[in-house]
């Protein structure tokens, strides 16, 4: 029997919209409910224990919305909390690290793979572990760039300044003869054109959106969870959403209604302070 319950998707902010868009394009019959934890964005510089706490709160909120599958569209939360979330819920949970790592190994010719991600994701070593599980002789160069997340959230990127800041990271990666670069933060594909310039020719750049959407499709089929109805989509946020709304309109072609929700005591204070 078709299952018309929505797929839950979350991130700290606008980054997960890159995964959501691909998900909607790949699986047009599936409804979604997206939650952007704007009141507590960014997650990247926070201690892993705090990211874990936030991720569980967000996931519990979405679970109460009767979702049939959860996509953790945030590398930082996947790195900090994926096993906890996988074991906590009766529905399947898909993170973004493993699908991106497996695809990078498939695409790389020389096994030298670069990862640019948040401080939290890099500190966790999640990509290095996931890549080495797929190819034991791979060489992984991970570099943090948490500073990019607030710039992307604000929607006001100084492109020349960003390129200048990316240059030393890319120089290290070129020196290591990396042939594949993973954008290991779901915010970064929103500046894909700058990464193309910064990385230069001959380097394959990828993110996890396509492979994650493929994994979701596979799981829905395997567990007979596919929808038989027309899709509908909801957007939830925990904090001020003006620039989130602009971004969503640019990506989805329309200003979606955005609902503001409280996940935890203190959320209203966080909103007022932000
Ligand atoms: N987009 C998220 C990620 O993939 C989170 C970025 C942040 O909040 O710092 O890691």
């Amino acid at each position: 029997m078709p299952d018309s319950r929505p797929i839950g998707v979350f991130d700290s902010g606008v980054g997960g919209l890159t995964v959501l868009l691909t998900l909607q394009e790949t699986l047009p019959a599936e409804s979604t409910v997206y939650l952007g934890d704007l009141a507590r964005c960014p997650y990247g510089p926070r201690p892993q224990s705090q990211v874990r706490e936030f991720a569980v709160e967000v996931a519990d909120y979405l679970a109460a919305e009767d979702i049939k599958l959860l996509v953790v569209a945030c590398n930082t939360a996947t790195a900090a909390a994926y096993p906890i979330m996988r074991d906590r819920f009766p529905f399947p949970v898909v993170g973004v690290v493993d699908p991106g790592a497996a695809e990078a190994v498939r695409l790389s010719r020389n096994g030298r793979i670069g990862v640019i991600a948040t401080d939290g994701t890099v500190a966790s070593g999640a990509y290095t572990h996931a890549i080495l599980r797929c190819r034991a002789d791979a060489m992984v160069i991970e570099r943090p760039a948490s500073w990019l997340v607030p710039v992307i959230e604000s929607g006001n990127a100084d492109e020349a300044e960003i390129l200048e800041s990316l240059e030393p990271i890319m120089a290290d990666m070129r020196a290591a003869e990396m042939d594949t670069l993973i954008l290991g933060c779901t915010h970064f594909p929103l500046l894909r054109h700058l990464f193309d310039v910064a990385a230069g020719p001959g380097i394959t750049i990828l993110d996890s959106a396509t492979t994650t959407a493929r994994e979701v499709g596979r799981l829905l089929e395997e567990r007979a969870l596919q929808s038989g109805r027309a899709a509908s989509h909801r957007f939830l946020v925990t904090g001020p959403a003006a620039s989130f709304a602009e971004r969503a309109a640019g990506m989805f072609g329309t200003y979606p209604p955005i609902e503001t929700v409280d996940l935890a005591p203190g959320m209203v204070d966080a909103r007022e302070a932000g």
Side-chain angles (χ1 to χ4, degrees):
M1 207 171 80
D3 188 334
S4 59
R5 289 176 299 162
I7 296 171
V9 182
F10 84 88
D11 180 41
S12 60
V14 296
L17 295 177
T18 59
V19 178
L20 182 71
L21 183 61
T22 308
L23 205 56
Q24 291 184 6
E25 286 169 352
T26 314
L27 302 167
E30 299 299 334
S31 294
T32 61
V33 51
Y34 182 90
L35 198 152
D37 193 4
L38 300 180
R40 304 185 292 196
C41 183
Y43 282 4
R46 297 179 185 273
Q48 302 267 294
S49 56
Q50 192 179 39
V51 174
R52 217 168 284 137
E53 194 186 303
F54 290 176
V56 168
E57 273 171 10
V58 174
D60 281 352
Y61 190 94
L62 289 171
E65 294 286 324
D66 197 23
I67 57 174
K68 62 181 173 186
L69 182 147
L70 176 66
V71 178
V72 185
C74 172
N75 291 269
T76 314
T78 302
Y82 177 72
I84 295 176
M85 287 188 279
R86 183 197 53 206
D87 297 343
R88 188 175 177 87
F89 301 108
F91 46 76
V93 177
V94 179
V96 281
V97 172
D98 285 351
E103 182 69 355
V105 168
R106 201 181 67 75
L107 293 174
S108 174
R109 292 172 308 277
N110 66 6
R112 292 170 182 243
I113 298 170
V115 181
I116 183 158
T118 65
D119 296 37
T121 302
V122 171
S124 76
Y127 269 104
T128 298
H129 295 135
I131 290 167
L132 293 177
R133 271 199 303 276
C134 298
R135 178 169 173 171
D137 69 343
M139 185 179 125
V140 187
I141 310 146
E142 294 201 57
R143 292 286 182 274
S146 273
W147 52 272
L148 262 176
V149 172
V151 174
I152 294 169
E153 281 292 325
S154 74
N156 298 315
D158 180 332
E159 302 204 338
E161 207 174 285
I162 293 171
L163 279 175
E164 203 178 312
S165 306
L166 288 176
E167 183 42 35
I169 300 176
M170 293 304 155
D172 278 359
M173 297 212 178
R174 278 192 295 268
E177 293 173 15
M178 163 204 81
D179 73 352
T180 304
L181 173 65
I182 300 176
L183 303 183
C185 170
T186 53
H187 281 72
F188 296 173
L190 294 166
L191 293 182
R192 170 63 195 251
H193 59 294
L194 295 184
F195 283 99
D196 285 339
V197 173
I203 292 175
T204 305
I205 301 181
L206 75 147
D207 60 65
S208 303
T210 307
T211 41
T212 300
R214 214 181 289 146
E215 174 63 3
V216 171
R218 191 191 67 74
L219 281 166
L220 293 181
E221 195 178 339
E222 182 186 280
R223 316 246 176 133
L225 291 170
Q226 288 152 310
S227 170
R229 284 226 207 119
S232 65
H233 304 292
R234 290 175 63 205
F235 290 84
L236 316 180
V237 296
T238 59
S243 107
F244 180 95
E246 281 291 325
R247 180 75 72 173
M251 291 172 74
F252 295 87
T254 168
Y255 277 91
I258 294 175
E259 304 161 48
T260 303
V261 299
D262 292 328
L263 304 182
M267 194 60 103
V268 178
D269 301 343
R271 197 147 62 222
E272 277 159 10

